Amino acid sequence: MATSTPRTANRWQVGRLVERRVETPTAQTLVLEVPDWPGHLPGQHVDLRLTAPDGYQAARSYSVAGPVVDGPGGPRIEVTVQRVHDGEVSPYLIDVFGDGDPVEVRGPLGGWFIWRPEETAPVQLVAGGSGIVPLMAMIRARRATGSKAPFRLIYSVRTPRDVIYADELRRRIRDDFGLDIAYVYTREAPEGWRGEPHRIGLADVNTHGWPPDLQPLTYVCGPTGFVETVADLLVGLGHPSRRVKTERFGPTG
Amino acid sequence: MGIVSPGFQGRPRTQEPALPPGQYLTEDFPVLSAGPTPRVSLDTWEFVIAAENGSEYRWSWQELMALPQETPLVDIHCVTRWSKLGTTWQGVSLDTLLDGVDTGAHFALAHSYGGYTTNLPLDDLRGGRAWVVHTFDGAPLPAEHGGPARLLVPHLYFWKSAKWVRGIRLKTMDEPGFWETAGYHDYGDPWREQRYQGD
Ligand SMILES: Cc1cc2nc3c(=O)[nH]c(=O)nc-3n(C[C@H](O)[C@H](O)[C@H](O)COP(=O)(O)OP(=O)(O)OC[C@H]3O[C@@H](n4cnc5c(N)ncnc54)[C@H](O)[C@@H]3O)c2cc1C
């Protein structure tokens, strides 16, 4: 039924950039201080809105990458932005948006593509490229809440250099009991990797996901073509559609 | 106007067509849905209007195709902010389907193969403003865009144009659908920017 959406989700408020982290050559994490942030669930997103001097506005959605962090000036949230070649908003956020600059923020938004830490069902996460962001929010929330739900992540990237949150993921496989991660490389695999670069297929999902009889909850996020492919494979393997939640990040595959 | 973002110019803008506020133009046809794409066979496909008094009106695929066909040329606006202008469709007007349905209901809940639902005032399905469409751009509607048939209600945000539509339940009381219970606006008028609850 209706998720309780805090009232502040419905208005634009001003956030400020307080920190920036380079994740890959094309993706950066932006830490925003949002004084009236009402809290959020892993998987939810914000809308960010930019205004030009002539009043022109552009808004885009970005998943919140992890739990809220307390800062000296109030709550902070993180988003991770992947540069879209010839894009209007993402290159601005990566190249121009400066320390202390304001941006309008609306959220949290989205009451469907969410994982609730009180869920105990096994979780399978399938990420393509920047589709890792809301899934990482789930992995981080699992750790932060001490959830014992078993998690499996399949993460498809072009090359090893494109793995967002690479160091943290390495740490988490070691420290977060019950979390497994499998990578699929589409263009270039790391030194010593077994197998050839390939697009995600039935064997990957079958080998590294949970079988349907364990009744896992599945979250698939990435470019549209990726999500279409993976969701079809999962249904083909016998996962009921109602337990496969998808979020499509962009129009192109 | 919001606070100015230092250094933000936006994309060069020359004679942009009149779009609803906050929308940008796309030439692509993006896909947005909550789960996997259902595949529906035409042999078993049916469209059912269920009136509030319990009576049901059913059409098989062949029966739908035998009804008078229209070819709407419309602009569509997705709540995720893309708009696509001048899209061409073929299908059957809801006026045709509702003709002869005995109802005093004011609301409709469209439901889909796969379980998706969305609510609309019944009046918004009337007056030549809504269709059950099966053809896009001259070709059968692809499954990822809602084929074999979807609702087309172009004057509302596109989530109201339920993909894989299976029927419509007529209601005396408004009942929010899938996205509407997940925080989206009950009505969804793009020109009034009714995206989320409270807009
Ligand atoms: C719910 C939701 C959550 C999202 N979360 C994130 C996130 O956490 N991180 C993130 O980086 N992005 C995320 N996105 C995508 C983001 O909203 C923008 O679409 C993206 O940043 C591109 O915006 P832009 O203005 O730079 O490009 P635009 O000016 O909008 O587009 C420029 C060109 O790129 C194409 N394009 C647009 N978006 C994409 C895309 N994602 N991939 C490939 N091609 C594209 C367009 O068709 C166009 O040709 C999310 C989208 C949604 C709907």
Side-chain angles (χ1 to χ4, degrees):
Chain A
M1 280 283 60
T3 45
S4 56
T5 314
R7 288 227 48 84
T8 33
N10 287 321
R11 62 177 182 81
W12 291 100
Q13 50 178 314
V14 179
R16 277 180 200 282
L17 181 67
V18 290
E19 199 189 319
R20 173 192 292 279
R21 288 198 296 275
V22 175
E23 301 284 359
T24 73
T26 56
Q28 295 190 7
T29 292
L30 309 179
V31 183
L32 304 173
E33 183 182 274
V34 187
D36 289 331
W37 186 251
H40 63 277
L41 289 165
Q44 287 192 295
H45 66 271
V46 289
D47 280 1
L48 297 184
R49 184 165 75 178
L50 306 175
T51 304
D54 64 357
Y56 171 79
Q57 295 186 320
R60 298 287 186 276
S61 300
Y62 293 95
S63 303
V64 186
V68 194
V69 180
D70 281 328
R76 296 174 167 195
I77 56 167
E78 297 184 7
V79 296
T80 301
V81 180
Q82 169 84 49
R83 179 200 302 275
V84 168
H85 173 69
D86 79 357
E88 181 172 36
V89 170
S90 58
Y92 171 87
L93 292 173
I94 288 182
D95 299 332
V96 185
F97 189 45
D99 209 29
D101 281 351
V103 61
E104 283 185 288
V105 182
R106 189 177 188 191
L109 300 167
W112 173 247
F113 194 81
I114 50 178
W115 177 70
R116 294 177 186 277
E118 56 273 23
E119 280 279 356
T120 53
V123 170
Q124 51 185 357
L125 308 172
V126 191
S130 55
I132 186 68
V133 182
L135 308 183
M136 191 64 178
M138 298 175 189
I139 291 172
R140 288 169 166 167
R142 173 182 186 271
R143 170 73 186 206
T145 59
S147 156
K148 299 280 190 294
F151 267 45
R152 284 185 170 177
L153 166 68
I154 307 174
Y155 185 4
S156 167
V157 285
R158 287 183 180 159
T159 77
R161 292 178 301 285
D162 297 304
V163 176
I164 301 177
Y165 316 124
D167 290 341
E168 183 179 341
L169 287 171
R170 258 191 295 276
R171 248 188 1 258
R172 291 199 178 279
I173 313 183
R174 197 189 60 209
D175 299 344
D176 292 13
F177 184 74
L179 168 70
D180 285 331
I181 304 179
Y183 292 92
V184 174
Y185 299 93
T186 59
R187 299 214 181 143
E188 183 191 318
E191 207 59 42
W193 189 258
R194 294 197 213 175
E196 291 295 307
H198 65 280
R199 291 195 166 210
I200 195 163
L202 187 62
D204 302 295
V205 177
N206 202 18
T207 309
H208 302 294
W210 297 108
D213 47 319
L214 290 183
Q215 303 187 322
L217 270 171
T218 305
Y219 299 85
V220 188
C221 185
T224 297
F226 175 87
V227 171
E228 278 293 308
T229 304
V230 173
D232 285 351
L233 291 172
L234 287 162
V235 172
L237 284 169
H239 294 277
S241 295
R242 298 294 295 180
R243 290 183 78 78
V244 179
K245 301 193 179 201
T246 59
E247 184 123 282
R248 294 162 165 92
F249 267 12
T252 49
Chain B
M1 164 167 156
I3 42 147
V4 171
S5 318
F8 178 67
Q9 299 298 329
R11 195 166 272 147
R13 279 155 271 135
T14 46
Q15 318 131 340
E16 288 252 330
L19 290 176
Q23 296 294 112
Y24 64 91
L25 208 54
T26 177
E27 303 294 328
D28 275 342
F29 194 166
V31 176
L32 193 90
S33 33
T37 295
R39 315 279 155 179
V40 190
S41 152
L42 296 185
D43 301 334
T44 52
W45 185 92
E46 60 174 3
F47 184 77
V48 183
I49 296 181
E52 73 281 16
N53 60 14
S55 31
E56 292 189 341
Y57 306 78
R58 284 170 192 274
W59 292 267
S60 69
W61 188 258
Q62 288 73 18
E63 287 164 343
L64 186 86
M65 294 299 152
L67 292 173
Q69 301 286 313
E70 297 186 2
T71 49
L73 169 67
V74 298
D75 303 338
I76 53 182
H77 310 290
C78 178
V79 70
T80 62
R81 301 177 188 276
W82 56 263
S83 289
K84 196 169 164 60
L85 303 184
T87 59
T88 51
W89 306 81
Q90 186 183 320
V92 176
S93 168
L94 261 293
D95 291 317
T96 305
L97 295 164
L98 285 165
D99 189 33
V101 172
D102 179 22
T103 180
H106 289 296
F107 300 97
L109 188 69
H111 58 104
S112 298
Y113 290 93
Y116 179 83
T117 56
T118 188
N119 58 317
L120 314 96
L122 185 53
D123 274 352
D124 285 77
L125 294 178
R126 293 192 155 125
R129 294 190 297 165
W131 297 265
V132 171
V133 291
H134 49 74
T135 298
F136 172 71
D137 224 357
L141 184 61
E144 67 264 31
H145 291 305
R150 74 181 298 163
L151 206 57
L152 177 67
V153 194
H155 69 283
L156 299 177
Y157 279 127
F158 212 42
W159 90 78
K160 295 286 183 181
S161 294
K163 295 179 190 177
W164 315 294
V165 71
R166 173 178 206 163
I168 286 169
R169 287 194 277 272
L170 306 180
K171 309 234 160 214
T172 45
M173 303 266 282
D174 190 19
E175 178 188 322
F178 176 83
W179 287 119
E180 294 83 6
T181 38
Y184 284 80
H185 197 271
D186 195 62
Y187 184 62
D189 180 347
W191 296 95
R192 284 147 69 198
E193 228 184 328
Q194 295 173 332
R195 297 179 192 276
Y196 307 112
Q197 275 168 30
D199 278 342

